[in-house]
Amino acid sequence: MKHSMHKWRKRSIIVGLLLAAAISLIKPQPFGHQPSAYAEPTGSQQKKEASDVEQAGQEGAIEPYYLERLQAWQKAGISKGTSEQTLRASAFTAKSDDAGLKVETFEGKPESLVWSGQRGWVEYEVDVAREGLYEIWADYYPLSVNDGGNRQPVLLSVFVNGEYPFNEARSIVLERYYRDVERERYDESGNQLRAQVEEVPGWKKTAFRESNGAYALPLQWHLKQGKNTIRLQVLQQPVALHEMTIKPAEELPAYAEVKSTYPADAVRVGTPVVIEAEHYDQKNSTSIQNVYDRDPASHPKSIGSIAYNTLGGSRWMEGGQSVDWTIDVPETGLYKLAMRVNQNGMKNMAVFRSLYIDGSIPFQEMKNVQFPYDSDWKGMTLADSEGKPFAFYLTKGKHTLSMEAHYEPYMPMMIEMDHISKELRSILLELRMATGNREDKYRVWNVEKDIPGLIERLERIREQFVSLQNQMKGINPKTDNVAQMLKNGAADLKSILNRPNQIPYAKERIASVQESLESNRSLLMDSPLQLDQLFLAPLDEQLPGMTSNFWQKTGGMFQSLFYSFGKGSTTKAQDENVLEVWMVWGRDYVDELQRLVNDRFTPETGIKVHINMIQNPQMLTLANASGMMPDVALGVPANVPFDMALRNAALDLSKLPGADEFFSSFNPGMLQPLYYDGGYYGVPETVRFKVLFYRKDILDQLGLKVPDTWDDVYTALPTLLQNHYNFYMDPVDYTPILFQNNVNLYTANGLKTGLDTPDAFKSYKMWTDFYNVQGLERVVQSFYNQFRRGDIPIGISDFNMYIQLLVAAPEIANDWAIAPIPGTKREDGSVVRWSGGANPTNAMLFKSTVPEKQQDAWKFLQWYMSAEVQTEFGLNLEQYYGETFRWNTANVRAFAQMPWKPQDLNVILEQWQWTKEVPQVPGGYMTDREIGFAWNRTVVDAENPRISLEKAIKEINRELARKQQEFGIAGPNGEALKSLDLPHMDKPWEGVDQLVE
């Protein structure tokens, strides 16, 4: 881009001065929950509470955190409630039309409210005799799979008197519980197989807790004297409710107070009770798993063969996850509690657990039990600050011991970090406005005068960094990653403040500090803890040894090394009768598929299979060159089957028996990259669906509708930009715009690019104008982060974004939704929504496999990609490892069986029918590359769109011709020797119709 420096300097100065002057005139838009049609708090009550939380409220946020609100209530003198009352769940006073409720006898309890639809709300009126803070408890029954539920917990949001009283009220959890079945299963090599789990049925009672598991105790709710309205809105999972109890919170006594009630003559000697941590009764998350450990002191030993002999680690690290054990106490008396633990997952950081006995925390000191970092296993006795063990008075018989993960001690720091992050975003916005979002090296700034208060704000933030660092050291004496980040952030801000008039040019450094703060804040939510054994010993008895010495560790290391050359998996790769499968997935996926094969496929077919994990699909190219190919490959990118077919190494699946029925479960548009010379050389394994994500709360606040077409996007953009928001569209993804305007990337014979048409030039200009004219951000570091914060409340993204929001953003669970991506309206009024880029991984077979094993490999692939097996594989992954492992199978019937929200599934399937991919051709890699170069020239360097695209067309055609000659598709003079006859898709796939409600 070649312009006069003087011209740009003049323009930048004018824009910068105008925007800087405008800052003081801009009044922030109100942002938050919109008043609903039902009862609001009284005026006096609103004013009182607003005053109470003036300091606690988050700038620019929807409502304060629970901890802030609770402190404000307490500061205002609002005490705990005094009375208790029970409401029948069926006695609601109002409900929404879409709630889908039934009142009936359910699982033995009459007049239960069965909430089978995962939508809508119900309201209750509560008459309170005295104003105060109360807990809300519920008798609930999560509906089973047969009744429309799945393995996810129930999520609700709670309004009190017409508002969310605090941010955490947006996502309240009612947990499901699970137990292991068939623990003692082993393969023929003696390796323990992972146990299956089943849900523990029955009615449950719990207090309303926030879904992130941040706090150890139930949430407290402010109810005014007289009538209060409580609205429950279901966010996730069907549930039956029987009763709700409103009661004052119970005070946790201190240990000294509890100890004073123990009998003086209580038994203090006897035989210790040992509990294997992996033999728990139940857990509230399927992702809490047993893991095997090779340490010589771990029991039972797992050196020669795999034994799942410990619990947790990274499989028990999320707030709110709890495990229950049964303890059979031999005699009534005083006991101490110890455990063999390993907390090496968070370097130099402590993690926390709450300890319950028979459903209650026995005393204050058990609310936040601290497990400091240690690089190895150690024995830990629950004791006071002087090392004296806590005494627990237990009666003879069975008791329940529970441990629940949380991160409450870090919450004050996390809240402050969140406020700092918002303040840094506000500063960055002001700097962008003041500078016109451009750097003018010739402008001389007087920041103290030009941007009043900025220096003081940054200095306050620097001081907050130092204060937070000291708070972290108060919990973790050694410097941890978060404390180091805070130290570095304070140093960076100090460096920036040393040259105050250069602050307008330090936007990237400030943004880096903010991003680092946000990423490290999430570390405080992780609480990994691995348990081997728990020991309940009479108070005066010695505890058994819980650690291994140097010689034991050395011996164990050599034993493990020795056995690593012996026993292994059930099948061996070197066995010629074993089907060799290479999988470009993580170890967890490989282990689960191997387990399914051993349990299901091999017994049914007699075909043994070895699943081998490979790190990089490029290994297939090397294996082909060396003649050491597998029989099946899973998880390969879309270009690999085509490249292998081009080199006569891949097997044409479309010519195999049963191929037509096999391919009927897959969108033909996703098969296009797998096509070559009349055949299909792979099958889609997963789908990375694309949809439109939008923040309901922000769009409602702005009065905007969800855009259905690109014209609607044009209409919405001025309102978004005027309110400092934006629309997100990945600048790398050109497929929606081009495909919806009838642009094919290649000609029908596949020999030239299809970008040299009037429709292509028009579409390319439309695409680049979004960034040049309409104001879309050219670079967005993280759409997820900006969407979660509300900076960019609408945009197009994919499956990964969906899972991130589902797992890591429960505080906005009720505030975001998805819709089909904007489409292009045809002359007949219909809307086309074509989009590509949804085919991340595929499966394929190889010609090098001997014919007999090719038949076995085809049987395996048909079995693996069947709806039944894909469903079981996906549900098991999520069951064992949590929602982050949601299996996005490309088999549409299996995909519909995953635990999606019904309304989300309908949107995804509606968009799925409009998916088609860019076909593969020799030299086709140049298309993406040159379109990217063209975008840079047009958007960054302001080159004429037509000229820029013509340059790309020339380079693409040159590379296509070169590759066609290399593979014998064109002659030495460029003459066409054969046609590639690319498949064409001009109407949506009808295979999803029967699955859409």
Side-chain angles (χ1 to χ4, degrees):
M1 186 162 68
K2 297 185 178 180
H3 293 278
S4 164
M5 180 63 71
H6 173 74
K7 177 181 178 181
W8 274 114
R9 180 188 174 200
K10 181 179 179 180
R11 178 185 297 179
S12 180
I13 291 173
I14 293 172
V15 172
L17 289 173
L18 288 173
L19 287 174
I23 289 175
S24 61
L25 301 177
I26 293 176
K27 183 178 181 180
Q29 292 284 332
F31 173 56
H33 172 68
Q34 290 301 293
S36 59
Y38 65 98
E40 292 288 339
T42 64
S44 60
Q45 183 68 20
Q46 273 188 318
K47 291 176 183 177
K48 180 178 185 297
E49 292 193 6
S51 175
D52 291 343
V53 297
E54 184 176 359
Q55 297 301 317
Q58 303 172 56
E59 182 180 349
I62 298 173
E63 50 274 314
Y65 284 102
Y66 168 70
L67 188 60
E68 296 175 297
R69 182 70 84 173
L70 181 62
Q71 291 170 348
W73 283 333
Q74 292 169 343
K75 183 179 179 181
I78 300 173
S79 60
K80 294 186 182 297
T82 56
S83 60
E84 178 177 326
Q85 60 178 299
T86 299
L87 305 172
R88 292 198 325 273
S90 58
F92 53 84
T93 56
K95 70 179 184 69
S96 63
D97 295 335
D98 61 343
L101 305 173
K102 291 181 181 179
V103 176
E104 61 186 21
T105 298
F106 186 81
E107 296 296 329
K109 293 207 174 188
E111 295 188 77
S112 295
L113 180 70
V114 181
W115 205 336
S116 55
Q118 300 180 45
R119 57 175 69 90
W121 53 263
V122 293
E123 275 183 6
Y124 300 89
E125 279 193 0
V126 182
D127 200 339
V128 175
R130 180 177 172 180
E131 179 185 20
L133 301 178
Y134 294 83
E135 294 177 356
I136 304 177
W137 290 67
D139 286 335
Y140 71 100
Y141 195 122
L143 270 59
S144 67
V145 174
N146 294 333
D147 295 318
N150 55 46
R151 294 161 177 168
Q152 295 174 305
V154 177
L155 293 183
L156 305 170
S157 65
V158 180
F159 290 77
V160 176
N161 295 324
E163 67 174 2
Y164 292 118
F166 37 79
N167 187 266
E168 290 86 342
R170 292 174 171 267
S171 184
I172 302 300
V173 65
L174 302 178
E175 299 283 7
R176 295 176 184 268
Y177 288 85
Y178 306 88
R179 59 191 169 210
D180 283 356
V181 291
E182 298 185 60
R183 278 198 182 109
E184 304 302 321
R185 297 190 312 137
Y186 301 88
D187 63 24
E188 61 190 37
S189 298
N191 297 308
Q192 186 176 7
L193 300 175
R194 188 174 295 283
Q196 296 293 299
V197 299
E198 65 180 10
E199 186 171 354
V200 179
W203 286 93
K204 300 164 181 63
K205 187 166 187 173
T206 188
F208 281 3
R209 309 275 295 271
E210 56 90 26
S211 60
N212 266 346
Y215 305 103
L217 299 178
L219 299 172
Q220 297 181 46
W221 309 79
H222 178 211
L223 300 180
K224 63 185 180 180
Q225 184 175 356
K227 289 187 178 181
N228 296 264
T229 301
I230 297 177
R231 172 182 284 192
L232 306 182
Q233 184 167 3
V234 68
L235 307 178
Q236 174 180 288
Q237 290 301 295
V239 65
L241 300 172
H242 181 59
E243 291 178 342
M244 287 197 304
T245 303
I246 314 295
K247 64 179 183 179
E250 295 182 7
E251 291 282 358
L252 276 182
Y255 172 65
E257 181 182 345
V258 173
K259 183 181 177 183
S260 67
T261 65
Y262 294 162
D265 59 348
V267 172
R268 304 165 66 97
V269 294
T271 305
V273 177
V274 181
I275 304 105
E276 293 291 342
E278 66 273 16
H279 292 165
Y280 48 82
D281 286 339
Q282 66 176 14
K283 56 189 178 182
N284 67 358
S285 171
T286 55
S287 60
I288 302 173
Q289 289 290 314
N290 293 336
V291 293
Y292 66 88
D293 185 79
R294 302 291 195 189
D295 189 278
S298 294
H299 186 272
K301 294 188 182 300
S302 181
I303 296 179
S305 300
I306 291 175
Y308 291 109
N309 55 352
T310 65
L311 168 72
S314 62
R315 301 295 184 214
W316 184 22
M317 67 182 295
E318 295 180 8
Q321 290 183 332
S322 68
V323 182
D324 299 348
W325 297 267
T326 294
I327 303 176
D328 197 351
V329 178
E331 295 293 339
T332 300
L334 295 178
Y335 292 84
K336 57 187 174 185
L337 186 62
M339 54 196 76
R340 185 170 186 267
V341 300
N342 185 4
Q343 200 288 91
N344 62 2
M346 303 294 290
K347 187 165 185 180
N348 294 338
M349 286 179 62
V351 303
F352 298 89
R353 294 291 187 272
S354 295
L355 187 137
Y356 295 77
I357 294 178
D358 296 328
S360 300
I361 299 175
F363 41 83
Q364 275 281 354
E365 288 77 358
M366 293 297 100
K367 188 180 79 164
N368 298 322
V369 181
Q370 183 168 343
F371 293 86
Y373 170 80
D374 197 289
S375 60
D376 205 349
W377 286 96
K378 71 172 187 176
M380 176 176 167
T381 303
L382 300 185
D384 60 21
S385 57
E386 297 177 357
K388 188 174 182 179
F390 291 117
F392 299 86
Y393 181 73
L394 298 174
T395 58
K396 181 179 179 179
K398 294 186 183 296
H399 295 266
T400 299
L401 172 68
S402 309
M403 291 178 66
E404 182 179 68
H406 66 84
Y407 46 92
E408 182 174 301
Y410 291 126
M411 272 305 292
M413 286 170 283
M414 293 176 65
I415 292 170
E416 188 171 358
M417 290 165 77
D418 192 48
H419 293 332
I420 294 172
S421 180
K422 289 179 171 60
E423 176 71 351
L424 286 171
R425 282 201 302 275
S426 174
I427 288 172
L428 286 169
L429 174 62
E430 292 190 20
L431 287 175
R432 286 200 298 270
M433 295 173 66
T435 62
N437 209 23
R438 296 182 183 274
E439 289 193 13
D440 183 358
K441 297 179 180 179
Y442 297 95
R443 176 171 180 177
V444 178
W445 285 88
N446 184 340
V447 168
E448 191 170 358
K449 179 181 178 181
D450 296 336
I451 314 178
L454 178 62
I455 296 173
E456 291 78 6
R457 291 165 69 188
L458 286 173
E459 178 58 34
R460 279 196 301 271
I461 292 174
R462 189 196 66 79
E463 292 171 357
Q464 286 176 289
F465 269 76
V466 174
S467 173
L468 285 170
Q469 183 187 357
N470 293 332
Q471 291 179 56
M472 283 298 296
K473 286 186 176 180
I475 298 176
N476 307 311
K478 294 184 179 179
T479 300
D480 56 78
N481 290 338
V482 177
Q484 186 62 50
M485 176 276 299
L486 293 167
K487 181 179 179 181
N488 294 341
D492 288 342
L493 290 171
K494 183 177 181 180
S495 172
I496 292 170
L497 287 164
N498 284 338
R499 302 178 66 189
N501 290 332
Q502 295 298 310
I503 292 175
Y505 307 127
K507 293 192 294 292
E508 289 187 6
R509 293 179 65 188
I510 296 173
S512 176
V513 170
Q514 187 232 350
E515 290 293 331
S516 179
L517 182 70
E518 288 189 349
S519 62
N520 279 272
R521 179 181 180 273
S522 64
L523 293 178
L524 299 176
M525 301 173 69
D526 295 339
S527 304
L529 183 68
Q530 191 173 3
L531 289 180
D532 178 25
Q533 293 176 312
L534 298 98
F535 303 90
L536 186 73
L539 197 58
D540 292 343
E541 292 291 345
Q542 290 291 323
L543 289 164
M546 289 182 268
T547 57
S548 52
N549 58 37
F550 171 79
W551 298 110
Q552 288 173 318
K553 289 181 179 179
T554 303
M557 180 182 67
F558 282 108
Q559 279 184 302
S560 296
L561 182 63
F562 171 77
Y563 281 113
S564 69
F565 293 100
K567 290 183 179 181
S569 62
T570 305
T571 58
K572 304 294 189 295
Q574 61 268 28
D575 188 340
E576 292 183 358
N577 297 320
V578 174
L579 204 62
E580 179 71 5
V581 178
W582 286 9
M583 197 174 188
V584 194
W585 287 95
R587 172 55 59 190
D588 297 324
Y589 295 87
V590 171
D591 289 346
E592 174 55 26
L593 182 55
Q594 186 71 69
R595 188 197 65 77
L596 264 182
V597 166
N598 295 344
D599 284 357
R600 297 273 305 275
F601 182 72
T602 300
E604 292 170 5
T605 64
I607 302 170
K608 291 186 176 182
V609 181
H610 178 259
I611 315 293
N612 187 43
M613 182 178 71
I614 63 172
Q615 300 291 336
N616 194 315
Q618 294 298 326
M619 289 183 65
L620 289 168
T621 304
L622 300 175
N624 186 41
S626 62
M628 299 175 63
M629 292 292 283
D631 303 305
V632 184
L634 307 176
V636 298
N639 66 298
V640 173
F642 175 81
D643 289 343
M644 288 291 176
L646 199 60
R647 291 162 175 79
N648 201 32
L651 191 63
D652 183 0
L653 305 183
S654 63
K655 304 298 191 295
L656 298 176
D660 290 343
E661 181 181 356
F662 174 71
F663 281 111
S664 66
S665 296
F666 304 95
N667 186 336
M670 293 178 63
L671 292 169
Q672 289 184 297
L674 310 174
Y675 176 89
Y676 174 66
D677 200 18
Y680 291 94
Y681 291 84
V683 61
E685 185 182 17
T686 58
V687 59
R688 190 188 294 133
F689 59 78
K690 291 183 180 176
V691 288
L692 180 72
F693 292 82
Y694 63 95
R695 287 285 299 266
K696 295 185 292 184
D697 53 345
I698 298 177
L699 262 59
D700 287 345
Q701 183 251 333
L702 296 176
L704 294 175
K705 294 182 179 179
V706 179
D708 184 56
T709 67
W710 294 109
D711 288 338
D712 296 335
V713 175
Y714 291 139
T715 302
L717 273 171
T719 301
L720 289 169
L721 294 170
Q722 286 166 12
N723 289 275
H724 311 301
Y725 298 123
N726 212 322
F727 182 95
Y728 175 75
M729 183 167 61
D730 188 350
V732 174
D733 186 13
Y734 50 80
T735 59
I737 305 296
L738 269 62
F739 285 178
Q740 291 177 22
N741 287 283
N742 304 315
V743 177
N744 293 311
L745 270 293
Y746 304 103
T747 56
N749 62 10
L751 302 182
K752 289 184 177 295
T753 181
L755 294 173
D756 57 350
T757 66
D759 283 342
F761 284 110
K762 177 182 175 183
S763 300
Y764 175 78
K765 186 176 188 304
M766 174 184 172
W767 176 43
T768 53
D769 276 355
F770 270 112
Y771 306 92
N772 279 337
V773 179
Q774 304 299 330
L776 266 62
E777 293 281 356
R778 301 173 184 179
V779 178
V780 175
Q781 295 295 335
S782 171
F783 176 46
Y784 160 72
N785 282 333
Q786 302 217 36
F787 183 85
R788 183 179 182 180
R789 294 192 304 257
D791 298 340
I792 302 181
I794 184 170
I796 299 170
S797 195
D798 58 15
F799 165 77
N800 293 329
M801 171 81 166
Y802 184 94
I803 294 299
Q804 280 184 294
L805 290 172
L806 186 69
V807 172
E811 74 280 3
I812 61 168
N814 197 36
D815 294 326
W816 66 273
I818 60 174
I821 68 172
T824 300
K825 186 172 288 189
R826 293 169 168 164
E827 292 182 359
D828 61 3
S830 62
V831 177
V832 296
R833 304 187 190 277
W834 293 116
S835 177
N839 183 352
T841 67
N842 302 268
M844 61 181 299
L845 307 180
F846 300 94
K847 281 189 173 181
S848 58
T849 303
V850 296
E852 295 79 10
K853 288 187 74 176
Q854 280 184 5
Q855 296 177 13
D856 291 346
W858 177 232
K859 286 181 182 178
F860 170 80
L861 189 60
Q862 289 175 297
W863 172 84
Y864 171 64
M865 291 307 305
S866 68
E868 179 185 4
V869 173
Q870 284 290 292
T871 299
E872 185 174 357
F873 181 62
L875 291 177
N876 286 347
L877 283 171
E878 188 160 348
Q879 165 186 295
Y880 294 143
Y881 308 117
E883 290 176 324
T884 52
F885 280 72
R886 175 74 56 84
W887 184 239
N888 51 324
T889 174
N891 183 309
V892 69
R893 289 192 286 272
F895 185 94
Q897 297 303 311
M898 297 299 117
W900 308 101
K901 294 180 182 178
Q903 58 270 35
D904 289 352
L905 177 61
N906 286 334
V907 170
I908 295 166
L909 294 178
E910 182 181 348
Q911 183 60 53
W912 194 324
Q913 65 183 328
W914 292 100
T915 296
K916 65 178 178 180
E917 301 298 331
V918 177
Q920 294 278 340
V921 298
Y925 52 81
M926 189 63 74
T927 298
D928 271 351
R929 184 184 306 173
E930 286 300 325
I931 290 178
F933 290 161
W935 186 92
N936 282 326
R937 289 192 296 266
T938 304
V939 175
V940 179
D941 297 337
E943 187 172 78
N944 179 277
R946 185 177 188 91
I947 294 174
S948 182
L949 186 57
E950 284 177 344
K951 291 178 180 177
I953 292 169
K954 181 179 179 181
E955 294 300 323
I956 293 169
N957 280 332
R958 178 182 299 169
E959 184 65 12
L960 294 182
R962 189 180 72 83
K963 281 294 182 180
Q964 288 161 17
Q965 292 177 357
E966 179 182 340
F967 289 100
I969 298 171
N973 297 319
E975 67 276 14
L977 302 179
K978 61 184 294 187
S979 172
L980 297 180
D981 295 327
L982 299 180
H984 181 63
M985 189 175 179
D986 56 5
K987 61 181 181 179
W989 182 44
E990 298 176 354
V992 302
D993 292 349
Q994 71 274 19
L995 300 172
V996 178
E997 294 183 3

